[in-house]
Amino acid sequence: MFVVELQFECFDNTTLSQVDVAINGLMDALRYNGQVLGREFPVVIDDGIFRVRVVCPEKESLHSRFNSPQVNQCYEQLTNACLLAPKIKILGVDLNSDSVAESFSPSWQVLYTTYVHSCSPLRSGDTLLPIPLYQTGATTNDDYKAIIKWQTEWQAFDEIQMAIKSPTAVAMALAEIGDVDSELFVRGRDLCRHIEATTEVPTYYYQYRVGGESKAAELTRRCPSCGGEWRVPEALHGLFHFKCERCRIVSNMSWNFQ
């Protein structure tokens, strides 16, 4: 990942409110297209220049060839705030982030995230490294907002079950990320099917697993969708102990027994 600075210059008198709407609108569009990562984009003014620092998956993430129609529209609307198109300065590699996957067409891939990750939720099944969404072509309504929204919700439920002490809240959160019949689970699997149809790469959905009766019972657990055998001989990436090729689901052995 790379830290990039966008520098916006004014070509005429404007107001802070106009600048705020224009720049943040562009940041949202870039985020929903997978070209910038995270949810917060501080804007500072320095000698009449507005600066925004973001994290991008690649050096060329902000190249116009990756723009969605929504991003292009936001670029055009900068003129309404009397702003020029931003100058882009690559500051360097983000030492706190993973590198992107070397191949954007792996042998298989998985929709996987946690509340501590801001990178693309689409991971290479070969390396578990993130694949930039704009490199997949798997858009819905011309960008990747549906996938980013799914990721945001999954992370919210993950943080609840990790940090909140209320049993009711934890049970609700675990149901959403672990129950194959939950609204979030169903929507995520639909996204996987869409991604697979677009990329022609087998795309799996991650089922979070915690609880259970015993380690022995966990090891004999069957696919929650079809009831078939799905345990793999050795955990994939030290994480996925189960993989159902028929249902396109991967899962971990319950964290209680690891």
Side-chain angles (χ1 to χ4, degrees):
M1 311 293 177
F2 293 85
V3 179
V4 178
E5 183 175 86
L6 288 76
Q7 303 172 1
F8 298 84
E9 296 184 33
C10 301
F11 62 81
D12 203 347
N13 293 331
T14 187
T15 65
L16 289 178
S17 61
Q18 288 178 305
V19 168
D20 176 73
V21 170
I23 292 180
N24 284 305
L26 175 60
M27 292 301 104
D28 282 344
L30 289 169
R31 176 195 171 209
Y32 288 134
N33 201 45
Q35 290 170 274
V36 301
L37 304 173
R39 283 180 273 178
E40 296 184 5
F41 310 105
V43 181
V44 299
I45 184 169
D46 177 23
D47 291 332
I49 297 176
F50 295 91
R51 302 177 188 273
V52 185
R53 288 190 178 182
V54 299
V55 176
C56 295
E58 303 174 284
K59 279 187 176 181
E60 295 190 347
S61 295
L62 298 180
H63 194 284
S64 59
R65 70 177 179 274
F66 298 126
N67 290 354
S68 65
Q70 292 89 330
V71 169
N72 285 330
Q73 183 178 15
C74 287
Y75 271 117
E76 293 173 1
Q77 291 176 348
L78 290 176
T79 57
N80 295 334
C82 301
L83 293 173
L84 297 172
K87 296 178 181 178
I88 297 171
K89 181 180 180 181
I90 298 173
L91 301 181
V93 174
D94 179 13
L95 299 180
N96 291 324
S97 298
D98 290 329
S99 300
V100 300
E102 292 185 2
S103 172
F104 302 146
S105 296
S107 61
W108 65 286
Q109 53 198 9
V110 56
L111 198 60
Y112 166 80
T113 191
T114 74
Y115 79 96
V116 298
H117 289 118
S118 60
C119 60
S120 167
L122 186 64
R123 305 292 192 104
S124 165
D126 300 327
T127 63
L128 205 60
L129 292 176
I131 298 173
L133 293 177
Y134 56 80
Q135 293 282 11
T136 68
T139 60
T140 55
N141 298 320
D142 297 320
D143 65 9
Y144 304 91
K145 185 174 183 177
I147 299 175
I148 299 296
K149 283 289 190 180
W150 167 87
Q151 180 184 26
T152 301
E153 291 182 43
W154 204 103
Q155 291 175 335
F157 288 122
D158 188 32
E159 187 166 12
I160 287 172
Q161 67 92 15
M162 290 292 291
I164 305 299
K165 299 302 182 182
S166 166
T168 302
V170 170
M172 176 273 295
L174 288 176
E176 283 297 321
I177 60 179
D179 189 340
V180 294
D181 295 320
S182 74
E183 189 277 335
L184 186 68
F185 206 105
V186 170
R187 181 150 45 90
R189 290 185 71 186
D190 285 343
L191 287 171
C192 286
R193 295 186 184 99
H194 171 70
I195 294 170
E196 178 167 336
T198 304
T199 63
E200 299 182 344
V201 175
T203 305
Y204 291 71
Y205 188 82
Y206 169 62
Q207 179 204 30
Y208 183 89
R209 174 69 174 174
V210 71
E213 298 177 359
S214 65
K215 183 174 182 178
E218 279 299 299
L219 293 176
T220 58
R221 186 163 62 96
R222 290 176 173 269
C223 172
S225 184
C226 70
E229 294 281 356
W230 66 328
R231 183 183 170 191
V232 295
E234 184 175 349
L236 304 171
H237 308 296
L239 175 62
F240 306 130
H241 299 82
F242 306 95
K243 182 183 181 186
C244 182
E245 295 186 6
R246 175 183 177 183
C247 300
R248 296 287 198 259
I249 300 175
V250 294
S251 186
N252 58 284
M253 182 172 67
S254 172
W255 293 109
N256 294 66
F257 307 110
Q258 293 194 44

